[in-house]
Amino acid sequence: QLANNVNSGNSYSNIYFELTENIDMTGETFEPIGNQNNHFSGKFDGKGFVIKGISVNADSYIGLFGYIENASINDVGVEDVNYTGWSNIGGIAGYSSNSVITNCYSRGHTNGNDCVGAIVGYSGDGTVVQNCFSSMQHTKYQIYGSVGGLVGYNCGKLENSYFYGTINAKIFEKSTTGGIVGYNHTTGSIHHCYFIKYGDVMNGYFNYCGSLNWGDCYGTDSFDLYGITTSGSYLYVKLNTWVDDHCNEGHYRKWTSESFPSFSEYAESVDPSDNKDFVDLGLPSGLLWAKANLGANRPGETGYYY
């Protein structure tokens, strides 16, 4: 319903949405939220839940969100996704303009040619991607198409994120294929980002981004199967150092100390009535009145949205 409304012209500017449980879209028809003509501009909080099994086969603007503008996407994971198209393909957003994406991750497959990334396909001016990770498996067919581990074409800011998937470049071009970003524009920046470097990951020589001669890039590194960077530091330590340094700028999830660092456990659905105290008001119906809203721990809290 959200996709239908947005794609029909309702941008939901500054309207807040949140997930209250995991969603399994396996075998279901899915339409990306937002398209080239109609953009999502709301605030989407995944609350740590996961959307699984999204499958899309279209020309462009493919992802959980097809096109976002002046939006914020936070704390959501997508798993077992399968995206096939030509351009602007991203695990979370196919195309992003002036938006913020934090604490998100993706797992699955993409098959595309240009502006393809595990988090964002095309990251436009004003877009900020922070504290994200992915194990997406990319397949690239077009020689000059921009395909990157996390972001395909980057004009925005990418920080404290890592990629440990693969890029199977059928026709390899190192200037537009990278372990973190496919192509970094002059306005793009890549800070404290990492990717795993082992074996023949991408059918040829590859670097952090397709071209390091453009934009701003520092603090990048690669790591091995044990989660240790080439400088000998544990990846999760580097990631959490950034989180600690930015503690006053917003809420960022901490990272666990696994070989492939991930966020602390994502949320699981629970019965909102579990462990809830009730008051018997003596109503004829026998209805009991909760001491707090469902999903809240105290009377003054809002609780769940429905």
Side-chain angles (χ1 to χ4, degrees), residues 218-232:
Y218 70 80
T220 55
D221 203 349
S222 60
F223 64 96
D224 63 18
L225 290 168
Y226 302 99
I228 300 175
T229 65
T230 55
S231 62

Side-chain angles (χ1 to χ4, degrees), residues 137-141 147 166-171 201-203:
Q137 313 300 308
H138 300 302
T139 299
K140 171 188 176 182
Y141 297 94
V147 177
T166 62
I167 299 180
N168 181 25
K170 297 294 186 181
I171 306 176
V201 179
M202 293 192 291
N203 294 358

Side-chain angles (χ1 to χ4, degrees), residues 22-274:
N22 297 321
I23 299 175
D24 191 346
M25 293 296 299
T26 305
E28 303 290 337
T29 300
F30 181 83
E31 184 178 4
I33 304 167
N35 55 39
Q36 185 176 8
N37 299 315
N38 300 294
H39 316 148
F40 176 77
S41 300
K43 302 177 185 299
F44 186 91
D45 190 347
K47 305 299 288 187
F49 290 107
V50 175
I51 301 175
K52 177 182 178 182
I54 297 174
S55 181
V56 180
N57 190 331
D59 182 64
S60 59
Y61 302 100
I62 299 172
L64 172 62
F65 294 86
Y67 198 127
I68 61 175
E69 184 175 42
N70 300 318
S72 67
I73 314 297
N74 178 62
D75 220 18
V76 63
V78 294
E79 295 187 351
D80 299 332
V81 300
N82 196 329
Y83 299 145
T84 299
W86 179 265
S87 65
N88 300 315
I89 303 170
I92 302 298
Y95 191 106
S96 173
S97 174
N98 200 39
S99 298
V100 178
I101 299 173
T102 56
N103 299 333
C104 294
Y105 82 89
S106 64
R107 294 190 176 106
H109 297 82
T110 69
N111 296 276
N113 295 307
D114 192 24
C115 301
V116 180
I119 302 298
V120 181
Y122 185 100
S123 181
D125 290 342
T127 293
V128 179
V129 177
Q130 298 169 314
N131 224 45
C132 296
F133 73 96
S134 176
S135 60
M136 196 75 80
Q137 313 300 308
H138 300 302
T139 299
K140 171 188 176 182
Y141 297 94
Q142 186 75 11
I143 184 170
Y144 291 114
S146 301
V147 177
L150 295 170
V151 175
Y153 194 105
N154 185 48
C155 298
K157 179 184 292 185
L158 176 61
E159 295 184 311
N160 202 53
S161 301
Y162 80 94
F163 176 73
Y164 68 104
T166 62
I167 299 180
N168 181 25
K170 297 294 186 181
I171 306 176
F172 185 77
E173 171 54 51
K174 67 180 181 181
S175 67
T176 56
T177 309
I180 298 173
V181 168
Y183 187 86
N184 201 39
H185 191 262
T186 52
T187 61
S189 64
I190 308 168
H191 299 164
H192 305 289
C193 292
Y194 313 88
F195 73 105
I196 188 167
K197 190 172 185 178
Y198 66 95
D200 187 19
V201 179
M202 293 192 291
N203 294 358
Y205 175 78
F206 62 98
N207 212 318
Y208 307 109
C209 62
S211 175
L212 283 172
N213 298 322
W214 301 101
D216 178 22
C217 181
Y218 70 80
T220 55
D221 203 349
S222 60
F223 64 96
D224 63 18
L225 290 168
Y226 302 99
I228 300 175
T229 65
T230 55
S231 62
S233 300
Y234 283 100
L235 178 57
Y236 81 93
V237 172
K238 286 189 170 238
L239 294 168
N240 282 332
T241 298
W242 184 94
V243 170
D244 292 339
D245 289 343
H246 291 73
C247 60
N248 294 323
E249 295 184 14
H251 171 70
Y252 301 103
R253 279 180 172 263
K254 299 283 281 189
W255 304 77
T256 64
S257 58
E258 300 169 356
S259 295
F260 298 125
S262 60
F263 304 125
S264 56
E265 289 299 317
Y266 264 64
E268 294 295 334
S269 300
V270 296
D271 185 340
S273 64
D274 284 352

